[in-house]
Amino acid sequence: MSVHYRACHLCEAICGLELTVEAGHVTTIKGDKADVLSRGHICPKGVALKDLHEDPDRLRTPVKRVGDRFVEIGWGEAVSTVATRLAETAKAHGQDAVALYFGNPNVHSSGLLTHGGGLGRAIKTRSVYSATSVDQLPAQLMALWMYGHQNFLPIPDIDHTDLFMVFGGNPMASNGSLMTVPDFPGRLHALKARGGRMVVVDPRRTETAKVADAHHFIRPGTDALVLLAMVNVLFAEGLAKPGRLADFTDGIEAVRDAVAPFTPERAAAQSGLDADIIRALAREVAQAPRAAVYGRMGVSTQAFGTLCQWAIQLLNLLTGNLDREGGTLLAHPAIEAGMAPRGAGGFGRWHSRIRNLPEFSGNLPVAALAEEILTPGQGQVRALLTIAGNPVSSTPNGRQLDAALDDLDFVACVDFYVNETTRHADIILPPASPLERGHYDLAFYNLAVRNVARWSEPLFDKPEGARHDWEILTALATEYARAMGNEPPNLLPSETMIDFGLRTGPYELDLETLKASPHGVDLGPLRPSFPERLVTNNGRITAAPAGCLADLARLAAAKPEAGLVLIGRRHVRSNNSWMHNSTRLVKGPNRQRLQMHPADMEERQIRDGARVAVSSRIGTVEIEVEASGDVMPGVVCLPHGWGQSTRDGIQMSVANASGGVSFNDLSDENRLDVASGNAVLNGVPVEVRALAV
Ligand SMILES: Nc1nc2c(c(=O)[nH]1)N[C@H]1C(S)=C(S)[C@@H](COP(=O)(O)OP(=O)(O)OC[C@H]3O[C@@H](n4cnc5c(=O)[nH]c(N)nc54)[C@H](O)[C@@H]3O)O[C@H]1N2
Ligand SMILES: Nc1nc2c(c(=O)[nH]1)N[C@H]1C(S)=C(S)[C@@H](COP(=O)(O)OP(=O)(O)OC[C@H]3O[C@@H](n4cnc5c(=O)[nH]c(N)nc54)[C@H](O)[C@@H]3O)O[C@H]1N2
Ligand code: SF4
Ligand SMILES: [Mo]
């Protein structure tokens, strides 16, 4: 028997795990009590890493489509076919005819992070899409606009704050996001034990709301009005006191003028929150000794996501909580790759062909992918390479994308499952198991509530012939460049790049040191770094970015949705659209149900447990309803990442049916946070009616 320590890569909490191996098999998985960041925390998904590794449905060999079957082929044929077909497309129709889609697990794999850029540089297309535009785009845009860098996301200092105020996040289920906070329950307990409070604003009484000191319902999509009204209150009541931040912040007067029309009374009318409560929330932030206002998916993937993220930054800034202990601060990771000035990012440097939507950091909004495939003309997308993603399931109007993929000349996917998207592939290139690779959390140390560094050794050797993600990307980049007659890129092994990053980083660490510290190296609590670290043009904070000011007219003119609106729901036993082959995760009561308030059900004569039809502009799905007083009246709630789309054909290797439906068969690709191009996945107008039995 041997004992191993490694970071779980399934969510942003990056828990340190202790795994025992006997005769080549994982026998136990527990939280590593000695881990410097997670201190023994684990959730059910961490244990399911064993299921992922052993899953017979996980592809281990490249496959190619023959009719409606996939047949195994060798790596040589697989890579050269993909490279040649993509290059043929680029030669015949132009470079932008080849599209790339990077899914969420890219940020959970150091090999994909070290090599994704190299692949992108080899393929040189502007048709790049990713999960960013169905997720955290507004938060990163605000980091770019206010602090000069897309990755300068101030992290709530939960271990030292007195007030943690959460808008549209559910860390008790998600284990935290844009905030790497393993053992959220333990840290919350400590916060309360030192007299601190957590306040949650959410249309559902979530798992997090249930352990909060206060929870307020809010009508989905109206947070920008509430948050800007809170900023308004700070000025109106003389509570705007940025302290030292004022010395290096521009535009505070402009903010005051801009928020003047957004009063608590105006916000109350649409949000369902009393004006007095809005005032009280603002005062609480201003008066707490130290406070951190935080907003996540719920206030990102909505019609005014950019304004929400702006107002959240302003609340922390204007109360002096930005860049101070117990407030919100930038992390100091050991590898600053993601924070180096050259990675600052950009916005609107080019636009999508059909809807003229802005690029962010080299990516176009994924809500535009289907139309870019379906609309003929110069620049039309003709081939697609996806890397660790499932856009049919995870992006708005998945049905349209599902159909559009059939229109392409060629589809290739780097993935180890046949899912709603990869089943369209001509070729699937599966990486080795995550337990067979080394790992360093290049992304999440940028977001962690404490500075740490940790290297995970592979638990197993990869089988003969298997390839890691970074090896697949290297081979594709090399062969594609050759096929185009270009110089192949010189890409070093992933581990070498990480070692180099550590050596040249601020702590001058190296891989060997980390290998000798399997529980991680502690690099201390979050600490202030402004103004030194600001990389805006003038080295000062931009409190009133032009893009935010310009979007206020849209907010002022917005008409509230009158009827039912649909929001999402994450569960601790599910992971976006995958991990559904793990019986230990999916077992238990059916969670694929539409939650609805009893008053809304009565009005429509719907019985608890009945089957209902849920309709939006995009389509209709049928699902069982569950009466719940946890959702506010006027709101219905459905998990995302489930359900096969309507198409027949190739059998998937991920059991996604389970009676569920796909949320994104309802979400609308035309509903965007126009300021950023981010998709609206929360607050989708729907109708619900009982189905005759
Ligand atoms: N309605 C609605 N839609 C949503 C959301 C929502 O809340 N509501 N959430 C959005 C969010 S936050 C996100 S991040 C996106 C996610 O959207 P996507 O990233 O498009 O989808 P995932 O479900 O994460 O798909 C991950 C795929 O990567 C594969 N994979 C896993 N690990 C690896 C690996 O190491 N290497 C490779 N090559 N492949 C791997 C899996 O097999 C799976 O097929 O969905 C978004 N869509
Ligand atoms: N178990 C599990 N963990 C996960 C994932 C998973 O699929 N499963 N996915 C991971 C990923 S990719 C991400 S990005 C993170 C997301 O992490 P979180 O953002 O913490 O997770 P969500 O559950 O999407 O939380 C969004 C919350 O916003 C609320 N909400 C919806 N609409 C509105 C609104 O208009 N206003 C307000 N104020 N609230 C609203 C919802 O009710 C929900 O409680 O989770 C990560 N962790
Ligand atoms: S919370 Fe669960 S899924 Fe997330 S890193 Fe920890 S063990 Fe893994
Ligand atoms: Mo996400």
Side-chain angles (χ1 to χ4, degrees), residues 49-95:
L49 282 175
K50 174 180 164 68
D51 306 340
L52 171 62
H53 182 69
E54 294 174 358
D55 188 352
D57 283 349
R58 181 170 57 79
L59 298 179
R60 281 141 172 99
T61 315
V63 291
K64 95 170 162 193
R65 170 199 294 280
V66 179
D68 60 1
R69 277 185 328 126
F70 278 123
V71 296
E72 294 190 355
I73 54 171
W75 279 103
E77 179 188 349
V79 170
S80 72
T81 309
V82 175
T84 318
R85 292 292 302 275
L86 295 180
E88 278 169 13
T89 305
K91 283 181 194 156
H93 304 286
Q95 296 182 139

Side-chain angles (χ1 to χ4, degrees), residues 403-459:
L405 293 186
D406 279 340
D407 254 37
L408 289 171
D409 297 337
F410 184 72
V411 178
C413 301
V414 183
D415 203 303
F416 39 51
Y417 281 111
V418 182
N419 64 27
E420 290 82 351
T421 304
T422 62
R423 68 173 158 178
H424 293 270
D426 293 284
I427 295 208
I428 305 178
L429 304 160
S433 160
L435 296 186
E436 291 159 357
R437 68 190 183 210
H439 180 65
Y440 178 89
D441 276 297
L442 279 168
F444 298 111
Y445 296 134
N446 283 339
L447 304 173
V449 297
R450 191 173 176 91
N451 298 306
V452 299
R454 183 180 49 199
W455 168 257
S456 302
E457 280 282 85
L459 197 62

Side-chain angles (χ1 to χ4, degrees), residues 6 37 41 88 112 184 204 228 251 269 293 310 368 390 411-412 421 484 499 516 551 564 572 594 641 656 664 680 686:
R6 74 179 279 120
L37 184 63
H41 185 69
E88 278 169 13
L112 287 173
F184 178 78
R204 181 166 79 89
L228 290 171
V293 185
W310 179 44
N390 187 4
V411 178
T421 304
M484 293 297 285
D499 188 44
D551 203 31
L564 291 174
V572 76
L594 183 80
N656 262 0
N664 290 319
V680 172
V686 290

Side-chain angles (χ1 to χ4, degrees), residues 8 10-11 13-15 17 41-43 45-46 175:
C8 174
L10 289 177
C11 90
I14 60 170
C15 299
L17 303 181
H41 185 69
I42 186 168
C43 84
K45 282 186 294 169
N175 283 299

Side-chain angles (χ1 to χ4, degrees), residues 484-536:
M484 293 297 285
N486 297 332
E487 186 67 28
N490 179 21
L491 297 172
L492 298 169
S494 189
E495 224 177 287
T496 312
M497 289 165 80
I498 287 164
D499 188 44
F500 178 79
L502 288 167
R503 286 172 191 278
T504 51
Y507 305 92
E508 297 177 11
L509 288 166
D510 55 46
L511 212 48
E512 215 163 281
T513 311
L514 295 194
K515 283 182 180 174
S517 319
H519 312 291
V521 174
D522 185 23
L523 304 171
L526 298 177
R527 55 183 191 271
S529 56
F530 286 168
E532 291 74 23
R533 234 149 137 227
L534 292 166
V535 290
T536 45

